[in-house]
Amino acid sequence: MSEKTYLQALNEALRQEMERDENVFILGEDVGQFGGCFGVTQGLFDQFGEDRVMDTPITESTIVGAACGAAACGLRPVPELMFVDFIGVSMDQLFNQAAKMRYMFGGKTTVPMTLRMPQGAGIGAAAQHSQCLESWFMNIPGLKVVIPSTPYDAKGLLISAIRDDNPVVFLEHKLLYGASGEVPDESYTIDIGKADIKREGSDVTIVATSQMVYSALEAAERLKADGIEAEVVDPRCLQPLDKDTILDSVKKTHALVVAHEAVTFAGPGAEISAIVAEEAIEYLDAPIKRVGAPFCPVPFSPPLEQHYIPSADNIVEAVKSIR
């Protein structure tokens, strides 16, 4: 166990899986000698060579399509798109091919591909390079959607994703690459679809994803000063969603706030709120509150961008409105 950044944890997961299984390979723009746009694949080209760390042209449809075909033929590709915002170019390859192939072939083939994509605002990358699009993928049967918040979760879940026989969308918030935490040096897995309680509490449940987990934990510490003990639940995966952990927490605290950076309207919080309303409404003492981004493109202006991104202040305000 040693201190590692989120980026280092991802790099270590890729390295260990490529050493373990020769069928694992990486493809994408600048993933080779350059080491990836954010440095996640640094050093892997030198160790494994161009046959297993493949630079591609700037054509996302080819990256995802080639990965889908390679996976169907028995390999375990890990394609990387430079930004999640570029997925629109290759959506047919993802949601019409990779997601449906196993079902349409009656289970005679599998598509074990892990599509890594950075997402999120906060670096001044403007409207076309800063979105959080996880709710798009949640709505596609056949895809698994993983969205880790900590270095420990990132490594264990990436290894699990690579070993999974289904296509996995693996979303990494750009602001988390520098986050650090204790990570085992050895290989390990985390069950896809199992939430984690990041902080225990008794007065309100805050379900938060990705970067917003840290905002939720900050909010929880501030609320503690006012006598409110918040429980912070990190789903870690949005498809499959561990609704049991969320429901058990709500049954204990009798209040729910859902926080994510994706836009509030039709975001992942809408589905989580609906599940709780359908299956545990009798346990709620107050309305469910959602904290998310406004329904507008991500601004380029730094002050406007910071206003756009949900914050610990927003979470505290939401909790105090019901507690």
Side-chain angles (χ1 to χ4, degrees):
M1 185 83 74
S2 58
E3 188 88 2
K4 297 182 177 73
T5 65
Y6 191 100
L7 186 151
Q8 291 169 333
L10 293 171
N11 180 274
E12 190 169 84
L14 290 168
R15 186 185 307 276
Q16 290 177 350
E17 282 305 284
M18 292 179 76
E19 290 172 343
R20 187 187 73 89
D21 185 351
E22 64 181 10
N23 289 318
V24 177
F25 74 99
I26 297 168
L27 69 161
E29 300 163 15
D30 292 332
V31 297
Q33 289 179 308
F34 187 69
C37 180
F38 295 96
V40 174
T41 56
Q42 193 73 41
L44 300 180
F45 180 88
D46 293 335
Q47 180 175 351
F48 298 103
E50 62 182 6
D51 288 340
R52 295 186 65 196
V53 185
M54 303 171 60
D55 279 321
T56 68
I58 304 175
T59 169
E60 287 76 16
S61 57
T62 296
I63 296 169
V64 179
C68 176
C73 290
L75 299 179
R76 290 188 178 272
V78 186
E80 175 188 310
L81 297 192
M82 198 173 286
F83 296 90
V84 73
D85 314 73
F86 302 161
I87 189 61
V89 181
S90 52
M91 276 300 280
D92 183 73
Q93 288 82 353
L94 181 64
F95 87 94
N96 260 341
Q97 306 304 326
K100 295 177 173 61
M101 194 173 289
R102 187 172 188 174
Y103 172 80
M104 294 180 72
F105 288 1
K108 293 181 180 179
T109 189
T110 58
V111 187
M113 60 177 272
T114 301
L115 178 57
R116 292 184 44 250
M117 294 182 286
Q119 68 167 12
I123 65 169
Q128 296 174 325
H129 299 75
S130 303
Q131 299 167 92
C132 287
L133 301 178
E134 56 265 33
S135 58
W136 286 20
F137 311 112
M138 290 173 64
N139 196 241
I140 302 172
L143 294 181
K144 295 186 177 182
V145 183
V146 177
I147 185 167
S149 65
T150 67
Y152 177 86
D153 291 344
K155 179 178 177 180
L157 285 166
L158 182 54
I159 290 173
S160 294
I162 293 171
R163 296 182 187 182
D164 200 289
D165 284 335
N166 300 285
V168 179
V169 171
F170 197 94
L171 300 170
E172 307 157 8
H173 198 291
K174 297 187 283 287
L175 292 184
L176 291 179
Y177 285 132
S180 61
E182 291 291 315
V183 179
D185 297 323
E186 67 275 8
S187 177
Y188 62 94
T189 60
I190 295 173
D191 290 342
I192 292 177
K194 181 61 179 174
D196 185 44
I197 297 176
K198 300 299 189 192
R199 184 187 192 277
E200 294 192 356
S202 56
D203 298 321
V204 60
T205 297
I206 305 173
V207 177
T209 61
S210 191
Q211 168 73 3
M212 292 304 294
V213 170
Y214 295 88
S215 296
L217 291 171
E218 178 187 340
E221 287 304 307
R222 289 163 55 180
L223 289 164
K224 182 178 180 180
D226 293 326
I228 301 173
E229 289 291 345
E231 182 151 289
V232 178
V233 179
D234 179 1
R236 300 194 291 194
C237 306
L238 293 172
Q239 187 59 261
L241 179 68
D242 182 4
K243 68 176 186 178
D244 290 338
T245 295
I246 296 170
L247 291 169
D248 288 344
S249 179
V250 169
K251 290 174 182 178
K252 178 176 71 172
T253 66
H254 307 288
L256 174 64
V257 172
V258 188
H260 52 69
E261 191 181 307
V263 295
T264 304
F265 184 85
E271 179 61 28
I272 293 169
S273 299
I275 289 171
V276 173
E278 288 177 347
E279 301 189 31
I281 195 168
E282 67 273 21
Y283 290 91
L284 293 172
D285 292 339
I288 298 169
K289 292 293 183 178
R290 290 182 289 158
V291 176
F295 195 73
C296 72
V298 182
F300 172 68
S301 161
L304 289 178
E305 183 182 36
Q306 287 307 307
H307 180 74
Y308 172 93
I309 300 170
S311 66
D313 288 342
N314 300 136
I315 297 173
V316 169
E317 181 182 359
V319 171
K320 287 187 173 181
S321 73
I322 58 174
R323 276 287 180 251

